[in-house]
Amino acid sequence: MTFAAEAPNVSFSHRHLLGIEGLSRAEITGLLDLSEEASKLSRQIDKKRDDLRGRTLINLFFEASTRTQSSFELAGKRLGADVMNMSVSTSSVQKGETLIDTAVTLNAMRPDLLVVRHHAAGAVQLLSQKVDCSVINAGDGSHEHPTQALLDALTIRRHKGHIDGLVVAICGDILHSRVARSNILLLNTLGARVRVVAPSTLLASGIERLGVEVYTSMWEGLVDADIVMMLRLQRERMASSLVPSQREYFHFFGLDYEKLARAKPDALVMHPGPMNRGVEIDSNVADDPQSVIREQVEMGVAVRMAVLQALARHLPNQ
Amino acid sequence: MNAPNQRAAARHIALVNARLIDPASGLDQLGGLLIIDDRIADLGRHVAAGAIGDAQVVDCGGRVLAPGLIDMMVSAGEPGLEHRETLATASRAAAAGGVTTMVCMPNTEPVIDDVALVDFILRRARDTALVNVHPMAAMTKGLLGQEMTEIGLLRDAGAIAFGNGKTSVANAKVMRNVLAYAKDFGALITHHLEDPTLGEDGVMNEGEVATRLGLRGVPAAAETIMLERDIRLVDLTGGRYHAAQISCRASLDIIRTAKLMGLPVTCGVSINHLTLNENDIGPYRTFFKMKPPLRSEDDRRAMVEGLASGDIDVIVSAHDPRGAEGKRRPFAEAADGAVGLETLLGAALRLYHNGEVELLRLLRVLTANPARLLKLNSGRLAKGAPADLVLIELDTPWVVEPDRLCSKSKNTPFDGARLEGRAVLTLVAGRPVYNYADQE
């Protein structure tokens, strides 16, 4: 039995998923509809389908990741693919092999789908030019993380019923965040009002030109927000003089109940994970009923099944 | 066109029926030019076929005859980087681009910070290069920005100017001392402008384009802070100073102010920053990654305005050969730099064809001005000057094909570009070193 037989037929004509940029509203909505079906499948006893039977999926991660990698692995397995995980940070790259050589080597093993995470912006696109299979960007530097934005949108849509007109506040380390960029692109395409909230040192130059309202105060930026999306702050940011200390950051930019009270009473709290409790988010807020952080993880598997399925339709059959 | 052959070239050659352009004197008229041995012996209307005895005659067909181009910023690969370029291959590229004199950058391996290395470059150039080569020496040992090099001895050995490669001397005291000491020798100090801390994470111009691509930016302030500081130090010391490459509007304003103050300050701009901008990077095209980074379209326009107003003194190719191993990488990890010797003239002529800069001024910043800064006798059409010449066909359309470039490395940002106008004959010391007709 295939998932495709049960699922809506969506229009998605791309060979790769390299980013949200370039996707139309219809394509995004189609992927979300497909993900919705996949989420139902994931809640059944028999979660296995044959769509990717005989296909090989390689997870190629140049950066350590737990949830994204296991999410793609599960998604691939539920659709019947053979999944191989490669953590390249510990192998050939340390021997000096370039990204392109790694790509050519893997390509020779004839995978059908390649899921790639890399620390450099544009690296996944570069790799996609050198291989014959479909490539999915699982995060490239500070550029894009399209499946994260899709799973966030799916989670929002399941709770709010729509995305049009919602006020979404994305808070924290905008400068370094691929999650923020993909979400800005996707939410704008679907008609949300997007705000970014961060200290000026963590705002990317020219970010306002991406169609967002910029706030440097949580107390102002969260007013009447429907969605409060927190970003992870890496500890290195303290060392490079972008924020003075963990406690000062938490005081001004950490999501606690006091700041959350500025948002709408039914606002959703989201976080792409992994969380730094007590740095960007109060531990109790993270576990509050308003928080949909665990559901985001669940939707992650569904979105990745949908993406794999949509791309697999265009894989050659001979 | 009938080009002279090598044997006869060293004697009498008359280039007749040419549009003589000498930016140094403002000359722009039809006439001829007589070469005897390696010098210009005569020029003007009276040098015409039938009036020059038994000289070999080349009919220029009304094309522009100008002094050969002088390029103040060339990385030629020797010593240590011969897999990217050699003096021989760089000089072939230069000849094909109408460049008759190139100044080689000191950021080689090892760094040109010792008399023996200056001597090495000069001897290698004498034995292998088709065009004139002048080494630029490092102004600090190892380009580390800590200790001054032997500026006097290096100058006597033939170093034509002093620079610090593609890094700035961050230590203001060292920079002050270099400027003050170099002044005693009349040595020209050229400086790359990028505050090392403000620029350290950046890989392209800071702004919306970088943010969309998820790349860290280098703010214009990284350049202007260093330039402002240097101007104060020039004011303090009186040293002769040349900003090697400026890239943004604010830097142009600083240069203007310094010139109004009467300081011995000049500046250059690369052909890339005159003809390209940050949007050309598109989907992470690494051939457009350079230092300083390509800036906004407004900054590019400012560079063109600065050229037209005379505030920018020199155009350089910033020729920097890089192999595939350096460029076929994710953008942030890729090497900086672009080759430019062969496309310098054709790309510069875009500005003339677009009506942005008049021809005489364009040729001046490519010939007479660098000659003046470097105190060279070339870069002009005058009796007694070296017969370093380029015959330019202004309207020839051609497409840049990387595989046909003479340079050993093919990292050109003008890949596939349609250029209009090029060198069709290049002479160095009276000898033809390039003839376009031979290439077809």
Side-chain angles (χ1 to χ4, degrees):
Chain A
M1 187 162 54
T2 63
F3 172 50
E6 311 157 52
N9 196 11
V10 302
S11 72
F12 190 83
S13 55
H14 304 270
R15 190 174 146 219
H16 308 297
L17 179 68
L18 300 176
I20 297 297
E21 190 173 17
L23 297 189
S24 67
R25 186 183 176 110
E27 285 169 331
I28 292 169
T29 307
L31 283 176
L32 295 180
D33 293 345
L34 195 56
S35 305
E36 192 71 56
E37 292 305 311
S39 73
K40 290 176 193 161
L41 180 61
S42 286
R43 287 185 177 186
Q44 293 174 14
I45 303 291
D46 177 12
K47 302 174 178 63
K48 191 101 174 175
R49 292 294 180 271
D50 297 329
D51 299 67
L52 298 183
R53 191 191 172 100
R55 304 287 190 189
T56 305
L57 183 154
I58 299 183
N59 269 329
L60 178 61
F61 278 61
F62 293 85
E63 243 182 19
S65 154
T66 313
R67 75 184 64 207
T68 305
Q69 184 171 329
S70 49
S71 183
F72 270 109
E73 183 174 356
L74 265 184
K77 284 179 170 166
R78 283 185 185 165
L79 292 178
D82 294 315
V83 182
M84 184 179 86
N85 290 316
M86 280 191 63
S87 296
V88 193
S89 53
T90 49
S91 59
S92 45
V93 167
Q94 289 189 343
K95 296 173 193 159
E97 188 175 72
T98 66
L99 175 65
I100 288 175
D101 289 333
T102 305
V104 168
T105 303
L106 279 179
N107 194 47
M109 300 178 192
R110 303 206 164 273
D112 301 287
L113 295 146
L114 197 54
V115 176
V116 187
R117 169 169 290 187
H118 196 278
H119 48 82
V124 181
Q125 185 177 332
L126 176 65
L127 192 144
S128 73
Q129 294 160 5
K130 309 293 172 189
V131 297
D132 304 313
C133 58
S134 280
V135 174
I136 300 164
N137 183 359
D140 63 326
S142 306
H143 180 222
E144 282 228 43
H145 190 356
T147 56
Q148 178 71 44
L150 286 165
L151 76 88
D152 288 341
L154 179 63
T155 309
I156 294 170
R157 203 177 73 167
R158 282 164 65 91
H159 284 268
K160 300 291 181 190
H162 63 101
I163 292 194
D164 249 313
L166 292 179
V167 175
V168 182
I170 306 176
C171 313
D173 189 357
I174 307 293
L175 177 62
H176 299 91
S177 178
R178 52 193 173 217
V179 175
R181 281 170 182 72
S182 287
N183 263 309
I184 289 168
L185 291 167
L186 187 150
L187 293 167
N188 272 331
T189 305
L190 294 192
R193 275 180 59 196
V194 184
R195 300 175 182 169
V196 295
V197 189
S200 291
T201 46
L202 295 179
L203 284 169
S205 168
I207 190 85
E208 68 285 353
R209 301 254 190 100
L210 273 64
V212 297
E213 297 163 49
V214 180
Y215 291 84
T216 53
S217 156
M218 289 284 276
W219 287 281
E220 293 168 17
L222 261 49
V223 170
D224 292 334
D226 295 288
I227 310 292
V228 181
M229 195 181 278
M230 301 306 298
L231 299 173
R232 174 181 168 78
L233 183 80
Q234 294 186 358
R235 284 166 206 281
E236 301 94 87
R237 310 301 175 221
M238 258 70 90
S240 51
S241 196
L242 288 166
V243 290
S245 72
Q246 199 167 303
R247 72 172 185 183
E248 174 151 336
Y249 186 78
F250 184 72
H251 179 78
F252 290 100
F253 293 95
L255 185 66
D256 52 19
Y257 282 110
E258 196 195 329
K259 298 189 193 90
L260 183 57
R262 296 296 192 116
K264 286 193 182 147
D266 62 346
L268 301 180
V269 173
M270 304 179 74
H271 193 298
M275 279 185 285
N276 282 315
R277 290 171 186 264
V279 180
E280 69 266 359
I281 189 163
D282 179 275
S283 203
N284 292 321
V285 173
D287 300 329
D288 192 275
Q290 273 184 275
S291 159
V292 292
I293 297 170
R294 269 169 297 180
E295 188 178 334
Q296 286 176 272
V297 178
E298 184 187 348
M299 291 309 117
V301 179
V303 156
R304 281 148 193 150
M305 287 171 73
V307 167
L308 292 175
Q309 214 282 321
L311 288 173
R313 294 178 191 185
H314 303 293
L315 290 174
N317 275 318
Q318 295 300 315
Chain B
M1 166 187 2
N2 293 317
N5 62 39
Q6 292 276 352
R7 183 181 52 78
R11 303 272 69 88
H12 289 51
I13 305 172
L15 299 159
V16 300
N17 188 24
R19 178 180 168 191
L20 302 170
I21 296 190
D22 178 39
S25 63
L27 176 83
D28 183 353
Q29 67 167 50
L30 282 174
L33 183 144
L34 180 66
I35 299 168
I36 298 181
D37 289 333
D38 58 350
R39 302 268 151 189
I40 297 171
D42 199 3
L43 74 158
R45 282 186 216 282
H46 59 281
V47 182
I52 28 79
D54 58 354
Q56 185 181 352
V57 174
V58 179
D59 186 344
C60 297
R63 297 180 184 88
V64 169
L65 184 62
L69 274 44
I70 299 172
D71 188 346
M72 285 180 67
M73 191 183 290
V74 174
S75 294
E78 290 192 60
L81 304 166
E82 291 86 356
H83 57 293
R84 292 185 200 156
E85 193 79 290
T86 62
L87 287 162
T89 55
S91 75
R92 279 209 293 278
V99 175
T100 53
T101 297
M102 55 185 195
V103 175
C104 291
M105 299 284 282
N107 47 327
T108 47
E109 293 179 11
V111 166
I112 308 302
D113 60 1
D114 190 274
V115 168
L117 290 159
V118 170
D119 192 51
F120 167 80
I121 302 271
L122 289 171
R123 279 185 289 111
R124 284 289 290 171
R126 180 197 64 200
D127 295 344
T128 66
L130 291 176
V131 304
N132 304 304
V133 172
H134 295 282
M136 183 185 290
M139 62 196 205
T140 61
K141 287 176 187 163
L143 300 175
L144 297 174
Q146 307 285 333
E147 295 173 66
M148 195 193 304
T149 52
E150 297 166 318
I151 288 175
L153 292 175
L154 287 163
R155 191 176 147 75
D156 285 354
I160 198 159
F162 295 83
N164 215 54
K166 283 192 172 182
T167 55
S168 287
V169 174
N171 185 320
K173 189 173 74 176
V174 171
M175 190 65 187
R176 175 195 180 167
N177 289 342
V178 165
L179 281 164
Y181 189 81
K183 185 192 175 196
D184 298 342
F185 294 90
L188 179 68
I189 297 298
T190 80
H191 201 206
H192 174 81
L193 298 167
E194 184 180 286
D195 180 277
T197 53
L198 269 179
E200 71 184 344
D201 301 327
V203 297
M204 67 171 291
N205 185 38
E206 184 171 294
E208 182 192 349
V209 182
T211 290
R212 283 186 185 277
L213 291 170
L215 295 171
R216 288 294 100 72
V218 181
E223 179 172 303
T224 54
I225 286 173
M226 197 50 80
L227 182 57
E228 291 264 25
R229 183 207 68 173
D230 284 355
I231 300 298
R232 301 295 154 197
L233 295 175
V234 171
D235 193 18
L236 191 64
T237 59
R240 211 151 62 87
Y241 176 85
H242 177 73
Q245 280 191 70
I246 62 167
S247 67
C248 54
R249 185 176 286 280
S251 292
L252 185 65
D253 294 339
I254 296 167
I255 291 286
R256 278 193 180 124
T257 308
K259 287 186 169 182
L260 283 173
M261 287 165 70
L263 296 174
V265 168
T266 52
C267 75
V269 63
S270 89
I271 188 63
N272 303 315
H273 294 84
L274 284 166
T275 54
L276 307 169
N277 68 31
E278 60 183 347
N279 293 310
D280 289 306
I281 290 168
Y284 304 99
R285 284 196 286 257
T286 58
F287 281 13
F288 294 84
K289 187 182 182 199
M290 46 194 78
K291 259 181 187 293
L294 292 174
R295 301 283 186 188
S296 68
E297 174 59 12
D298 178 63
D299 289 315
R300 187 197 70 83
R301 278 206 210 100
M303 295 301 100
V304 176
E305 289 164 21
L307 202 60
S309 67
D311 292 304
I312 290 177
D313 302 90
V314 168
I315 300 178
V316 295
S317 72
H319 183 82
D320 194 355
R322 298 286 177 163
E325 76 286 352
K327 285 293 189 182
R328 290 178 67 198
R329 288 178 176 276
F331 194 87
E333 297 167 10
D336 296 300
V339 292
L341 278 166
E342 287 173 83
T343 46
L344 172 63
L345 180 60
L349 285 172
R350 267 190 183 173
L351 304 174
Y352 159 71
H353 289 299
N354 293 345
E356 292 176 298
V357 183
E358 57 187 81
L359 187 59
L360 199 64
R361 190 176 287 285
L362 194 61
L363 290 174
R364 182 175 298 138
V365 294
L366 289 163
T367 60
N369 280 3
R372 178 170 51 80
L373 291 183
L374 300 168
K375 298 184 175 169
L376 294 171
N377 195 24
S378 55
R380 60 206 178 101
L381 300 185
K383 287 183 194 177
D388 295 345
L389 301 163
V390 59
L391 190 63
I392 302 167
E393 172 126 358
L394 288 176
D395 301 319
T396 301
W398 61 291
V399 176
V400 180
E401 295 169 72
D403 290 345
R404 298 190 68 179
L405 294 179
C406 302
S407 179
K408 218 172 188 178
S409 297
K410 313 298 181 190
N411 54 312
T412 172
F414 296 100
D415 182 353
R418 291 161 199 282
L419 300 181
E420 197 179 345
R422 58 164 302 127
V424 291
L425 177 67
T426 308
L427 297 119
V428 172
R431 291 177 180 275
V433 291
Y434 175 78
N435 190 336
Y436 187 49
D438 296 343
Q439 314 301 312
E440 294 306 298

